[in-house]
Amino acid sequence: IAPGDVVLGLPSAGLHTNGYSLARKILLEKLRLRVGDRFPGAAETVGEVLLAPHLYYGPDVRIAREAGTIRGMAHITGGGIPGNLVRILPEGVRAEIRMGSWPVPHVFRTLAEAGGVPDAEAYEVWNMGLGLLLVTPAGDADRIEAALAGAGRACFRAGAIAAGPREVRLIP
């Protein structure tokens, strides 16, 4: 992983088994909803939203690997984007993730707003709509994006790698 590399994000299907303590506190305690109640602004129930199945990224990774080089992958679990992406960064580089470069699903916007959760905390607790991040050389990013799109799979150019201290910066 080197300066100039691109960070591509593959979408999540929801919470992906992380951040339930905060989500439960917001939904069940603060909003006083029950598991069978409709999730605010959605057709699904609170229970259906919370238990949305975790995605399997094997086919997406195979497609990406066939289209270009993957220098690193970060599965976004507990610790959110900053806490997981930093684990694959070598010393001397940082990841700059551009917030707003992918659609943040309704579940995360609703939880953050209803719970008064600041952006920085939300991105450290939840995946915010990106379940897997791939780091690839800039020259391979377009091919990987095109291959995934050709297979009907979503992919977002979420950020880039730059020289600097080993960290993840969320850029508004």
Side-chain angles (χ1 to χ4, degrees), residues 94-113:
R94 71 173 177 260
E96 297 177 344
I97 302 300
R98 182 142 324 266
M99 297 162 58
S101 61
W102 69 92
V104 173
H106 176 73
V107 62
F108 300 111
R109 291 191 317 269
T110 300
L111 288 170
E113 183 177 307

Side-chain angles (χ1 to χ4, degrees), residues 100-148:
S101 61
W102 69 92
V104 173
H106 176 73
V107 62
F108 300 111
R109 291 191 317 269
T110 300
L111 288 170
E113 183 177 307
V117 179
D119 281 347
E121 182 179 353
Y123 280 83
E124 290 176 1
V125 173
W126 299 308
N127 65 54
M128 300 305 286
L130 296 180
L132 186 72
L133 297 178
L134 307 174
V135 179
T136 185
D140 289 355
D142 287 339
R143 284 194 309 279
I144 291 171
E145 287 175 307
L148 287 165

